[in-house]
Amino acid sequence: MTSRRPTMQTTLAAAVTLEGVGAHSGRAARLVLAPAEAGSGIVFTRFGGVDGLRAEAHNVSSTELCVRLGSGAASISTIEHLMAALRGLCVDNVAIDVDGPEIPAMDGSAAAFVAAIDEAGIVRLAAPRRSIEIRAPVRVADGAAWAELSPAPSGFSLDVEISYAAAPIGRQRRRLRLTPARFRAEIARARTFGFLSDAERLWREGRALGASLDNTIVITEGRALNPQGLRFADEFVRHKMLDVLGDLALAGAPIIGAFRSYRGGHSLNLALVETLLATPAAFAFVGGEERPRPRAPARPCAPR
């Protein structure tokens, strides 16, 4: 079922810095993405901190509106778009220092993170990549919403469907076989979205303080308020695909298999990862050396 040709791990060729405002905290934030050794994975550290947080499902403390790792002063929020960029471009090992509680929203998509990774460059390391090969279907559901992973001969594919009563979203479905080129062209630029009617409630709760037309598609009365309009006619489902990539990356390794969901979100995606990792018969580690920690597997990249 798996390719016999080994695929090597990657990291960044140089460090790169990004600055912006957190969508929920409204606070300015700076982060530095730096090269890391083979086998280290994606690790987040608050500036001045000592202990890093591995980007893995067991470190997730919240999935409400965004994904947060850790808790209290050691937490990092809104990691999903950055994680999607790293997984979409097949970057395995990065040390991430964050000056603040939240990854900056940038333009609400993964485009700025892709540009930063391109600026830094990607290099192969002298160690094979370990992937998670799906051997049996795994499914989770919450009412009408559901998500599943199933076996595939090679690579990783996405099939995501959303359904909203409000225009201009409605019901949208998109399928994609993931490669770095297709991620760049079809997914990376899709922005997060929200409804103007929800804004006042979120502000009262101390959230969405940094959200604006510069980083969010704002919907009201059946249309997007953003002067530039949509980047894609189905930008909403494309952004959900972006979130899926970031969430599944928290399994800790690329996945070889097929993902499908209907009306999914962060909570359902993470529940699927946790269910997968708790079902040893549903997957196997392939390529590379298995670490002694059993809770760290995740999603697929095309061979480079």
Side-chain angles (χ1 to χ4, degrees), residues 126-280:
R129 173 181 289 142
R130 187 185 69 152
S131 298
I132 296 170
E133 183 176 81
I134 305 301
R135 296 286 177 86
V138 176
R139 181 181 174 106
V140 295
D142 181 7
W146 54 267
E148 65 182 15
L149 282 164
S150 57
S154 63
F156 180 71
S157 63
L158 287 159
D159 184 344
V160 175
E161 185 173 3
I162 61 175
S163 181
Y164 287 78
I169 307 178
R171 193 160 183 165
Q172 298 182 355
R173 181 178 181 183
R174 190 167 187 85
R175 303 175 182 88
L176 175 78
R177 182 174 174 81
L178 184 67
T179 66
R182 294 196 71 181
F183 174 76
R184 289 174 183 277
E186 301 184 38
I187 303 300
R189 296 179 60 249
R191 297 162 294 172
T192 192
F193 58 93
F195 296 92
L196 185 62
S197 58
D198 292 333
E200 290 186 358
R201 173 182 57 82
L202 292 172
W203 291 333
R204 284 195 303 270
E205 295 172 354
R207 295 184 289 184
L209 300 178
S212 71
L213 294 176
D214 293 328
N215 57 34
T216 307
I217 303 171
V218 180
I219 301 164
T220 188
E221 297 179 351
R223 65 185 182 91
L225 286 179
N226 307 65
Q228 72 274 33
L230 300 178
R231 293 175 177 174
F232 309 94
D234 61 348
E235 188 167 359
F236 307 101
V237 71
R238 291 179 192 240
H239 185 78
K240 287 293 187 179
M241 295 177 102
L242 181 72
D243 283 345
V244 167
L245 292 179
D247 294 342
L248 294 191
L250 294 171
I255 290 171
I256 298 169
F259 173 87
R260 172 90 170 92
S261 70
Y262 173 66
R263 295 177 63 180
H266 294 305
S267 296
L268 206 60
N269 296 337
L270 265 296
L272 182 63
V273 170
E274 291 167 353
T275 301
L276 172 67
L277 299 183
T279 313

